[in-house]
Amino acid sequence: MQAASVIRWPQPITEYIGFIGSLLPAGAIGFRYVVMRGAIARGAGASADATRRRVYSDTARRAAMIGLIGVAVAIALMLYQLPGLAARRHTTVADLVTHTAAVELQGGFLLLALIGFALALRGTNAGWPLATVGFLAALLRNGLLGEWKDLANPIHVLSAGLWIGTLFVMLAAGISVVLRNEVAREERGAIVSDMVYSFSPLALAAAAVLVVFGVIIAWEHLHVLSNLWSTPYGIALIVKLCFVAMVFALGAWNWRRQKPTLGTEPAALALRRSATSEVLVAALVLAATAVLLSIPAPRVKKPAAVPSAVPTALPAISP
Ligand code: HEM
């Protein structure tokens, strides 16, 4: 079996870029609405309230910047892929953009998300709700079009974003800002603890949804269990699942072993190290997924499918 020959390059690269465009905004939203909100509520009685407010406003802006980068990547990738999609559909880009509901919805809502994150970056209150509505509507646009059966992949991506994306944003925009803040020196350990305790329930729920929809998508593609070990697609899925098992193991370690020790700065530093490993292995899961998406799934015999209107994850367009 020549695994290399079944991979349709450069599709894994565009898929990976597409994941960045989905997971960063989802993570920014998860961080703002779950981690920060939870941490603010937990620390409401803390002695240094004003200090905390300043720290949280800093972390919110950094999270908005990460979300903005993600949406900008998604838009850039969509623009890059439109000519290819138009050619495959024997039409023009202008026609595609103005006459294909999925493309119109994706483009319009991504623009809304971009404006929302830009406003949030400036500290404008309306920014976060706009960004959230825009991003969720762009990702789950199949639902808006009544194509419910095509929602499994976007929900899988959304839950991956709310778990791994939020963890990434918590590390890059939350914990790193807190641990560098001189004014909040006395409070650093407690603030990180409040963030991690607020993140945990989101991570557990998102991981459960991720697995449920992962299994559904896998079953839709494999059709029979033996395809798991007898086809290149199935073997790529096994490789992915090995990395997934490592992410779950690291997540369980952080949850059961690291989280209960939190409260001090050394414990926060240790948590940051192990959570960074979790994000790095998750990056390998995404690499395996990008390859998986570029390998033809073992389909049941039926008439050749017309390429879907636009990709299931935000930007990547199926060839
Ligand atoms: C850390 C855990 C996981 C992450 C971060 C992750 C991430 C992703 C992402 C981003 C996609 C791309 C979806 C798209 O573009 O349409 C995807 C697809 C997929 N995932 Fe996962 N996933 C994880 C766990 C799982 C699990 C546990 C399973 C199965 C039991 C699974 C099975 C699949 C399948 C079958 C696809 C679809 C591939 C295709 O459309 O050909 N994933 N995953």
Side-chain angles (χ1 to χ4, degrees):
M1 198 176 306
Q2 293 173 309
S5 65
V6 293
I7 299 172
R8 295 174 292 203
W9 293 100
Q11 198 187 336
I13 296 164
T14 50
E15 296 289 357
Y16 205 94
I17 295 171
F19 300 158
I20 293 171
S22 301
L23 269 57
L24 292 188
I29 291 165
F31 176 76
R32 173 62 189 86
Y33 282 112
V34 181
V35 176
M36 267 187 62
R37 185 172 277 186
I40 289 169
R42 279 169 189 275
S47 50
D49 259 358
T51 311
R52 282 193 177 221
R53 269 200 300 279
R54 262 204 308 280
V55 172
Y56 288 132
S57 132
D58 259 17
T59 60
R61 281 180 198 221
R62 274 198 168 216
M65 171 57 88
I66 294 176
L68 187 72
I69 292 171
V71 174
V73 167
I75 292 176
L77 186 58
M78 186 180 172
L79 293 176
Y80 165 77
Q81 292 185 316
L82 278 176
L85 183 60
R88 283 195 300 281
R89 299 181 145 216
H90 309 291
T91 182
T92 61
V93 170
D95 199 52
L96 192 69
V97 171
T98 48
H99 290 98
T100 313
V103 176
E104 282 175 63
L105 284 180
Q106 182 174 352
F109 282 122
L110 279 179
L111 270 182
L112 188 67
L114 191 77
I115 294 167
F117 279 123
L119 290 174
L121 185 60
R122 287 167 47 101
T124 309
N125 284 340
W128 281 102
L130 271 189
T132 305
V133 169
F135 170 72
L136 290 181
L139 183 64
L140 304 175
R141 63 194 174 276
N142 292 335
L144 298 177
L145 295 169
E147 293 163 5
W148 305 109
K149 67 174 178 39
D150 293 334
L151 273 180
N153 276 36
I155 293 176
H156 187 68
V157 174
L158 180 60
S159 40
L162 289 178
W163 173 17
I164 301 301
T166 304
L167 181 61
F168 171 77
V169 176
M170 185 171 76
L171 286 169
I175 295 179
S176 63
V177 168
V178 174
L179 290 178
R180 276 205 307 266
N181 191 299
E182 281 307 322
V183 188
R185 181 170 271 281
E186 299 298 312
E187 295 266 316
R188 287 172 177 174
I191 298 176
V192 170
S193 169
D194 288 343
M195 284 185 177
V196 174
Y197 270 83
S198 307
F199 168 68
S200 268
L202 173 70
L204 288 174
V209 177
L210 185 72
V211 170
V212 169
F213 281 88
V215 171
I216 293 173
I217 305 166
W219 187 249
E220 275 175 357
H221 287 339
L222 289 172
H223 307 296
V224 287
L225 195 59
S226 58
N227 278 337
L228 188 59
W229 54 85
S230 61
T231 64
Y233 184 89
I235 290 164
L237 181 56
I238 291 176
V239 172
K240 168 177 168 157
L241 292 180
C242 292
F243 288 126
V244 168
M246 288 167 66
V247 177
F248 272 84
L250 285 165
W253 168 267
N254 288 330
W255 178 43
R256 306 297 293 182
R257 292 293 169 92
Q258 301 284 57
K259 195 180 82 167
T261 66
L262 284 172
T264 63
E265 199 171 326
L269 288 166
L271 183 281
R272 182 170 69 171
R273 273 194 300 278
S274 55
T276 302
S277 324
E278 190 179 335
V279 168
L280 290 177
V281 181
L284 296 178
V285 170
L286 295 178
T289 304
V291 171
L292 179 67
L293 285 168
S294 72
I295 297 175
R299 305 216 173 267
V300 278
K301 285 194 185 104
K302 59 181 181 186
V306 176
S308 60
V310 270
T312 44
L314 267 178
I317 291 175
S318 325

Tab-separated table of all heavy atoms in Angstrom, residues 174-226:
chain	number	residue	atom	x	y	z
A	174	GLY	N	-3.883	34.377	28.274
A	174	GLY	CA	-4.256	34.466	29.685
A	174	GLY	C	-3.066	34.265	30.612
A	174	GLY	O	-2.505	35.224	31.150
A	175	ILE	N	-2.640	33.006	30.720
A	175	ILE	CA	-1.615	32.672	31.721
A	175	ILE	C	-0.315	33.438	31.488
A	175	ILE	O	0.302	33.940	32.426
A	175	ILE	CB	-1.394	31.133	31.735
A	175	ILE	CG1	-2.687	30.456	32.213
A	175	ILE	CG2	-0.218	30.758	32.617
A	175	ILE	CD1	-2.664	28.948	32.259
A	176	SER	N	0.092	33.586	30.218
A	176	SER	CA	1.367	34.278	29.964
A	176	SER	C	1.281	35.748	30.398
A	176	SER	O	2.241	36.287	30.941
A	176	SER	CB	1.758	34.163	28.490
A	176	SER	OG	0.792	34.795	27.715
A	177	VAL	N	0.139	36.400	30.178
A	177	VAL	CA	-0.023	37.802	30.592
A	177	VAL	C	-0.007	37.894	32.129
A	177	VAL	O	0.676	38.736	32.715
A	177	VAL	CB	-1.351	38.382	30.044
A	177	VAL	CG1	-1.689	39.712	30.694
A	177	VAL	CG2	-1.261	38.541	28.535
A	178	VAL	N	-0.746	36.983	32.762
A	178	VAL	CA	-0.844	37.026	34.225
A	178	VAL	C	0.539	36.826	34.857
A	178	VAL	O	0.950	37.565	35.753
A	178	VAL	CB	-1.822	35.931	34.724
A	178	VAL	CG1	-1.821	35.873	36.251
A	178	VAL	CG2	-3.218	36.202	34.212
A	179	LEU	N	1.273	35.836	34.353
A	179	LEU	CA	2.553	35.512	34.986
A	179	LEU	C	3.613	36.593	34.769
A	179	LEU	O	4.629	36.605	35.442
A	179	LEU	CB	3.066	34.153	34.486
A	179	LEU	CG	2.257	32.948	34.981
A	179	LEU	CD1	2.786	31.656	34.399
A	179	LEU	CD2	2.250	32.876	36.507
A	180	ARG	N	3.354	37.480	33.799
A	180	ARG	CA	4.322	38.572	33.563
A	180	ARG	C	3.910	39.869	34.247
A	180	ARG	O	4.674	40.821	34.273
A	180	ARG	CB	4.454	38.822	32.053
A	180	ARG	CG	5.438	37.886	31.376
A	180	ARG	CD	5.988	38.513	30.111
A	180	ARG	NE	4.927	38.967	29.236
A	180	ARG	CZ	4.408	38.248	28.247
A	180	ARG	NH1	4.877	37.045	28.012
A	180	ARG	NH2	3.451	38.726	27.496
A	181	ASN	N	2.683	39.887	34.790
A	181	ASN	CA	2.163	41.143	35.334
A	181	ASN	C	2.775	41.435	36.720
A	181	ASN	O	2.551	40.703	37.672
A	181	ASN	CB	0.635	41.070	35.418
A	181	ASN	CG	0.028	42.411	35.717
A	181	ASN	OD1	0.313	43.004	36.757
A	181	ASN	ND2	-0.784	42.908	34.804
A	182	GLU	N	3.528	42.524	36.797
A	182	GLU	CA	4.230	42.860	38.050
A	182	GLU	C	3.256	43.339	39.124
A	182	GLU	O	3.395	43.007	40.291
A	182	GLU	CB	5.286	43.940	37.786
A	182	GLU	CG	6.573	43.399	37.161
A	182	GLU	CD	7.180	42.237	37.952
A	182	GLU	OE1	7.144	42.252	39.199
A	182	GLU	OE2	7.659	41.282	37.309
A	183	VAL	N	2.244	44.119	38.684
A	183	VAL	CA	1.307	44.673	39.667
A	183	VAL	C	0.529	43.551	40.358
A	183	VAL	O	0.233	43.611	41.550
A	183	VAL	CB	0.315	45.652	38.968
A	183	VAL	CG1	-0.535	46.383	39.992
A	183	VAL	CG2	1.076	46.630	38.098
A	184	ALA	N	0.226	42.505	39.577
A	184	ALA	CA	-0.598	41.425	40.133
A	184	ALA	C	0.265	40.318	40.751
A	184	ALA	O	-0.207	39.204	40.948
A	184	ALA	CB	-1.492	40.850	39.041
A	185	ARG	N	1.531	40.633	41.049
A	185	ARG	CA	2.474	39.599	41.508
A	185	ARG	C	1.883	38.706	42.606
A	185	ARG	O	1.969	37.485	42.548
A	185	ARG	CB	3.753	40.279	41.996
A	185	ARG	CG	4.820	39.329	42.473
A	185	ARG	CD	6.120	40.062	42.695
A	185	ARG	NE	6.935	40.115	41.494
A	185	ARG	CZ	7.677	39.105	41.073
A	185	ARG	NH1	7.694	37.976	41.725
A	185	ARG	NH2	8.400	39.210	39.978
A	186	GLU	N	1.254	39.334	43.600
A	186	GLU	CA	0.719	38.573	44.736
A	186	GLU	C	-0.451	37.683	44.331
A	186	GLU	O	-0.752	36.700	44.990
A	186	GLU	CB	0.215	39.534	45.826
A	186	GLU	CG	1.296	40.436	46.407
A	186	GLU	CD	2.388	39.607	47.076
A	186	GLU	OE1	2.029	38.720	47.857
A	186	GLU	OE2	3.580	39.828	46.768
A	187	GLU	N	-1.111	38.071	43.244
A	187	GLU	CA	-2.366	37.405	42.870
A	187	GLU	C	-2.185	36.374	41.751
A	187	GLU	O	-3.135	35.685	41.395
A	187	GLU	CB	-3.354	38.463	42.339
A	187	GLU	CG	-3.799	39.477	43.346
A	187	GLU	CD	-5.099	39.065	43.992
A	187	GLU	OE1	-5.996	38.626	43.271
A	187	GLU	OE2	-5.190	39.153	45.210
A	188	ARG	N	-0.987	36.327	41.191
A	188	ARG	CA	-0.789	35.530	39.963
A	188	ARG	C	-1.271	34.083	40.098
A	188	ARG	O	-2.044	33.598	39.271
A	188	ARG	CB	0.686	35.499	39.589
A	188	ARG	CG	1.216	36.799	39.023
A	188	ARG	CD	2.704	36.651	38.899
A	188	ARG	NE	3.351	37.794	38.300
A	188	ARG	CZ	4.659	37.921	38.203
A	188	ARG	NH1	5.449	36.978	38.671
A	188	ARG	NH2	5.195	38.981	37.648
A	189	GLY	N	-0.803	33.409	41.153
A	189	GLY	CA	-1.165	31.995	41.340
A	189	GLY	C	-2.669	31.823	41.418
A	189	GLY	O	-3.246	30.909	40.815
A	190	ALA	N	-3.343	32.745	42.154
A	190	ALA	CA	-4.796	32.629	42.347
A	190	ALA	C	-5.540	32.886	41.039
A	190	ALA	O	-6.513	32.187	40.716
A	190	ALA	CB	-5.243	33.612	43.421
A	191	ILE	N	-5.065	33.871	40.257
A	191	ILE	CA	-5.777	34.177	38.994
A	191	ILE	C	-5.657	33.001	38.023
A	191	ILE	O	-6.644	32.590	37.392
A	191	ILE	CB	-5.225	35.473	38.334
A	191	ILE	CG1	-5.429	36.675	39.255
A	191	ILE	CG2	-5.914	35.731	36.995
A	191	ILE	CD1	-4.841	37.983	38.730
A	192	VAL	N	-4.449	32.427	37.928
A	192	VAL	CA	-4.275	31.277	37.024
A	192	VAL	C	-5.174	30.132	37.487
A	192	VAL	O	-5.835	29.467	36.682
A	192	VAL	CB	-2.789	30.843	36.970
A	192	VAL	CG1	-2.642	29.516	36.242
A	192	VAL	CG2	-1.946	31.924	36.293
A	193	SER	N	-5.228	29.914	38.781
A	193	SER	CA	-6.082	28.846	39.312
A	193	SER	C	-7.551	29.102	38.929
A	193	SER	O	-8.246	28.196	38.463
A	193	SER	CB	-5.916	28.794	40.835
A	193	SER	OG	-6.894	27.974	41.384
A	194	ASP	N	-8.012	30.342	39.083
A	194	ASP	CA	-9.405	30.671	38.725
A	194	ASP	C	-9.670	30.403	37.237
A	194	ASP	O	-10.735	29.917	36.854
A	194	ASP	CB	-9.711	32.146	39.034
A	194	ASP	CG	-9.820	32.389	40.535
A	194	ASP	OD1	-9.979	31.397	41.278
A	194	ASP	OD2	-9.728	33.560	40.959
A	195	MET	N	-8.665	30.731	36.407
A	195	MET	CA	-8.840	30.498	34.964
A	195	MET	C	-8.944	28.997	34.677
A	195	MET	O	-9.834	28.557	33.947
A	195	MET	CB	-7.649	31.070	34.184
A	195	MET	CG	-7.670	32.570	34.043
A	195	MET	SD	-6.301	33.085	32.982
A	195	MET	CE	-6.624	34.844	32.908
A	196	VAL	N	-8.023	28.238	35.238
A	196	VAL	CA	-7.994	26.800	34.923
A	196	VAL	C	-9.258	26.109	35.446
A	196	VAL	O	-9.843	25.259	34.764
A	196	VAL	CB	-6.715	26.147	35.492
A	196	VAL	CG1	-6.735	24.642	35.297
A	196	VAL	CG2	-5.481	26.755	34.826
A	197	TYR	N	-9.699	26.504	36.654
A	197	TYR	CA	-10.920	25.897	37.192
A	197	TYR	C	-12.142	26.253	36.335
A	197	TYR	O	-13.082	25.483	36.235
A	197	TYR	CB	-11.135	26.310	38.658
A	197	TYR	CG	-10.463	25.340	39.604
A	197	TYR	CD1	-9.098	25.458	39.890
A	197	TYR	CD2	-11.165	24.276	40.173
A	197	TYR	CE1	-8.453	24.555	40.725
A	197	TYR	CE2	-10.537	23.363	41.014
A	197	TYR	CZ	-9.179	23.508	41.282
A	197	TYR	OH	-8.565	22.596	42.090
A	198	SER	N	-12.130	27.425	35.718
A	198	SER	CA	-13.260	27.804	34.853
A	198	SER	C	-13.179	27.078	33.510
A	198	SER	O	-14.198	26.804	32.877
A	198	SER	CB	-13.249	29.314	34.592
A	198	SER	OG	-13.193	29.995	35.800
A	199	PHE	N	-11.951	26.773	33.085
A	199	PHE	CA	-11.763	26.099	31.791
A	199	PHE	C	-12.170	24.618	31.841
A	199	PHE	O	-12.716	24.082	30.872
A	199	PHE	CB	-10.282	26.225	31.386
A	199	PHE	CG	-9.866	25.356	30.236
A	199	PHE	CD1	-10.356	25.592	28.946
A	199	PHE	CD2	-8.985	24.299	30.420
A	199	PHE	CE1	-9.973	24.787	27.882
A	199	PHE	CE2	-8.607	23.486	29.369
A	199	PHE	CZ	-9.097	23.732	28.097
A	200	SER	N	-11.928	23.970	32.983
A	200	SER	CA	-12.128	22.513	33.075
A	200	SER	C	-13.488	21.998	32.607
A	200	SER	O	-13.552	21.072	31.791
A	200	SER	CB	-11.908	22.049	34.513
A	200	SER	OG	-10.599	21.675	34.656
A	201	PRO	N	-14.619	22.558	33.098
A	201	PRO	CA	-15.912	22.023	32.656
A	201	PRO	C	-16.111	22.178	31.149
A	201	PRO	O	-16.674	21.293	30.499
A	201	PRO	CB	-16.941	22.881	33.414
A	201	PRO	CG	-16.192	23.549	34.510
A	201	PRO	CD	-14.768	23.640	34.081
A	202	LEU	N	-15.612	23.303	30.585
A	202	LEU	CA	-15.729	23.500	29.136
A	202	LEU	C	-14.934	22.421	28.403
A	202	LEU	O	-15.418	21.815	27.435
A	202	LEU	CB	-15.199	24.893	28.752
A	202	LEU	CG	-15.099	25.159	27.247
A	202	LEU	CD1	-16.489	25.274	26.630
A	202	LEU	CD2	-14.303	26.438	26.950
A	203	ALA	N	-13.715	22.153	28.880
A	203	ALA	CA	-12.864	21.162	28.219
A	203	ALA	C	-13.521	19.776	28.264
A	203	ALA	O	-13.540	19.054	27.261
A	203	ALA	CB	-11.488	21.128	28.888
A	204	LEU	N	-14.086	19.438	29.417
A	204	LEU	CA	-14.708	18.109	29.550
A	204	LEU	C	-15.911	17.979	28.616
A	204	LEU	O	-16.049	16.971	27.909
A	204	LEU	CB	-15.159	17.879	30.997
A	204	LEU	CG	-14.030	17.642	32.003
A	204	LEU	CD1	-14.591	17.570	33.412
A	204	LEU	CD2	-13.284	16.350	31.658
A	205	ALA	N	-16.764	19.005	28.598
A	205	ALA	CA	-17.956	18.946	27.743
A	205	ALA	C	-17.557	18.912	26.274
A	205	ALA	O	-18.075	18.101	25.484
A	205	ALA	CB	-18.858	20.154	28.029
A	206	ALA	N	-16.605	19.788	25.888
A	206	ALA	CA	-16.200	19.846	24.480
A	206	ALA	C	-15.547	18.535	24.049
A	206	ALA	O	-15.782	18.054	22.933
A	206	ALA	CB	-15.244	21.020	24.259
A	207	ALA	N	-14.742	17.928	24.940
A	207	ALA	CA	-14.079	16.667	24.586
A	207	ALA	C	-15.121	15.568	24.356
A	207	ALA	O	-14.981	14.750	23.434
A	207	ALA	CB	-13.098	16.267	25.683
A	208	ALA	N	-16.179	15.570	25.180
A	208	ALA	CA	-17.216	14.545	25.019
A	208	ALA	C	-17.924	14.717	23.667
A	208	ALA	O	-18.110	13.752	22.908
A	208	ALA	CB	-18.225	14.639	26.166
A	209	VAL	N	-18.283	15.966	23.334
A	209	VAL	CA	-18.966	16.232	22.053
A	209	VAL	C	-18.027	15.883	20.888
A	209	VAL	O	-18.441	15.295	19.877
A	209	VAL	CB	-19.404	17.718	21.972
A	209	VAL	CG1	-20.034	18.028	20.627
A	209	VAL	CG2	-20.378	18.042	23.100
A	210	LEU	N	-16.756	16.216	21.051
A	210	LEU	CA	-15.748	15.935	20.019
A	210	LEU	C	-15.706	14.441	19.692
A	210	LEU	O	-15.712	14.046	18.521
A	210	LEU	CB	-14.388	16.408	20.538
A	210	LEU	CG	-13.198	16.326	19.598
A	210	LEU	CD1	-13.325	17.383	18.529
A	210	LEU	CD2	-11.894	16.535	20.361
A	211	VAL	N	-15.690	13.625	20.749
A	211	VAL	CA	-15.616	12.178	20.538
A	211	VAL	C	-16.900	11.667	19.870
A	211	VAL	O	-16.846	10.909	18.888
A	211	VAL	CB	-15.354	11.435	21.872
A	211	VAL	CG1	-15.520	9.935	21.700
A	211	VAL	CG2	-13.961	11.770	22.392
A	212	VAL	N	-18.056	12.121	20.383
A	212	VAL	CA	-19.333	11.647	19.816
A	212	VAL	C	-19.378	11.958	18.313
A	212	VAL	O	-19.629	11.074	17.482
A	212	VAL	CB	-20.534	12.303	20.541
A	212	VAL	CG1	-21.828	12.024	19.792
A	212	VAL	CG2	-20.621	11.789	21.975
A	213	PHE	N	-19.075	13.215	17.948
A	213	PHE	CA	-19.167	13.574	16.528
A	213	PHE	C	-18.015	12.993	15.719
A	213	PHE	O	-18.175	12.686	14.543
A	213	PHE	CB	-19.307	15.094	16.361
A	213	PHE	CG	-20.707	15.540	16.626
A	213	PHE	CD1	-21.111	15.865	17.910
A	213	PHE	CD2	-21.653	15.555	15.608
A	213	PHE	CE1	-22.430	16.221	18.182
A	213	PHE	CE2	-22.963	15.911	15.852
A	213	PHE	CZ	-23.355	16.247	17.143
A	214	GLY	N	-16.855	12.786	16.362
A	214	GLY	CA	-15.750	12.117	15.670
A	214	GLY	C	-16.151	10.705	15.268
A	214	GLY	O	-15.913	10.271	14.136
A	215	VAL	N	-16.814	10.008	16.197
A	215	VAL	CA	-17.239	8.633	15.902
A	215	VAL	C	-18.301	8.634	14.792
A	215	VAL	O	-18.260	7.818	13.862
A	215	VAL	CB	-17.777	7.940	17.187
A	215	VAL	CG1	-18.414	6.607	16.854
A	215	VAL	CG2	-16.647	7.757	18.193
A	216	ILE	N	-19.233	9.593	14.860
A	216	ILE	CA	-20.278	9.675	13.825
A	216	ILE	C	-19.641	9.897	12.443
A	216	ILE	O	-19.937	9.188	11.467
A	216	ILE	CB	-21.278	10.824	14.129
A	216	ILE	CG1	-22.083	10.485	15.387
A	216	ILE	CG2	-22.217	11.076	12.941
A	216	ILE	CD1	-22.986	11.613	15.881
A	217	ILE	N	-18.708	10.866	12.369
A	217	ILE	CA	-18.086	11.163	11.066
A	217	ILE	C	-17.285	9.944	10.590
A	217	ILE	O	-17.312	9.586	9.406
A	217	ILE	CB	-17.115	12.368	11.153
A	217	ILE	CG1	-17.795	13.606	11.732
A	217	ILE	CG2	-16.551	12.721	9.793
A	217	ILE	CD1	-16.800	14.680	12.145
A	218	ALA	N	-16.560	9.328	11.524
A	218	ALA	CA	-15.737	8.172	11.149
A	218	ALA	C	-16.633	7.080	10.568
A	218	ALA	O	-16.323	6.477	9.534
A	218	ALA	CB	-14.976	7.662	12.369
A	219	TRP	N	-17.767	6.850	11.228
A	219	TRP	CA	-18.663	5.789	10.762
A	219	TRP	C	-19.247	6.135	9.388
A	219	TRP	O	-19.346	5.284	8.504
A	219	TRP	CB	-19.769	5.527	11.790
A	219	TRP	CG	-20.567	4.334	11.399
A	219	TRP	CD1	-21.851	4.294	10.975
A	219	TRP	CD2	-20.081	2.983	11.342
A	219	TRP	NE1	-22.213	3.016	10.667
A	219	TRP	CE2	-21.144	2.185	10.877
A	219	TRP	CE3	-18.857	2.374	11.642
A	219	TRP	CZ2	-21.015	0.803	10.694
A	219	TRP	CZ3	-18.732	1.003	11.459
A	219	TRP	CH2	-19.807	0.239	10.996
A	220	GLU	N	-19.605	7.408	9.201
A	220	GLU	CA	-20.145	7.848	7.893
A	220	GLU	C	-19.132	7.570	6.777
A	220	GLU	O	-19.500	7.253	5.648
A	220	GLU	CB	-20.407	9.357	7.916
A	220	GLU	CG	-21.748	9.752	8.493
A	220	GLU	CD	-21.876	11.272	8.601
A	220	GLU	OE1	-20.905	11.980	8.278
A	220	GLU	OE2	-22.943	11.720	9.034
A	221	HIS	N	-17.842	7.721	7.091
A	221	HIS	CA	-16.806	7.559	6.062
A	221	HIS	C	-16.350	6.118	5.885
A	221	HIS	O	-15.982	5.700	4.798
A	221	HIS	CB	-15.596	8.427	6.386
A	221	HIS	CG	-15.837	9.888	6.150
A	221	HIS	ND1	-16.829	10.357	5.330
A	221	HIS	CD2	-15.212	10.980	6.640
A	221	HIS	CE1	-16.804	11.675	5.314
A	221	HIS	NE2	-15.843	12.075	6.111
A	222	LEU	N	-16.365	5.353	6.997
A	222	LEU	CA	-15.803	3.995	6.911
A	222	LEU	C	-16.820	2.975	6.388
A	222	LEU	O	-16.452	2.010	5.719
A	222	LEU	CB	-15.298	3.549	8.292
A	222	LEU	CG	-14.035	4.255	8.784
A	222	LEU	CD1	-13.750	3.871	10.237
A	222	LEU	CD2	-12.833	3.924	7.910
A	223	HIS	N	-18.071	3.154	6.747
A	223	HIS	CA	-19.177	2.255	6.355
A	223	HIS	C	-19.078	0.874	6.981
A	223	HIS	O	-20.048	0.351	7.487
A	223	HIS	CB	-19.282	2.120	4.829
A	223	HIS	CG	-19.368	3.442	4.158
A	223	HIS	ND1	-20.425	4.294	4.347
A	223	HIS	CD2	-18.510	4.073	3.331
A	223	HIS	CE1	-20.231	5.406	3.659
A	223	HIS	NE2	-19.067	5.306	3.044
A	224	VAL	N	-17.905	0.247	6.878
A	224	VAL	CA	-17.731	-1.046	7.558
A	224	VAL	C	-16.435	-0.967	8.364
A	224	VAL	O	-15.468	-0.322	7.945
A	224	VAL	CB	-17.661	-2.241	6.574
A	224	VAL	CG1	-19.012	-2.557	5.980
A	224	VAL	CG2	-16.635	-2.003	5.503
A	225	LEU	N	-16.449	-1.649	9.508
A	225	LEU	CA	-15.330	-1.530	10.439
A	225	LEU	C	-14.005	-1.961	9.816
A	225	LEU	O	-12.949	-1.376	10.081
A	225	LEU	CB	-15.636	-2.352	11.699
A	225	LEU	CG	-14.744	-2.058	12.901
A	225	LEU	CD1	-14.827	-0.588	13.310
A	225	LEU	CD2	-15.104	-2.960	14.078
A	226	SER	N	-14.069	-2.976	8.933
A	226	SER	CA	-12.810	-3.500	8.370
A	226	SER	C	-12.072	-2.442	7.542
A	226	SER	O	-10.860	-2.520	7.358
A	226	SER	CB	-13.083	-4.749	7.534
A	226	SER	OG	-13.993	-4.418	6.504
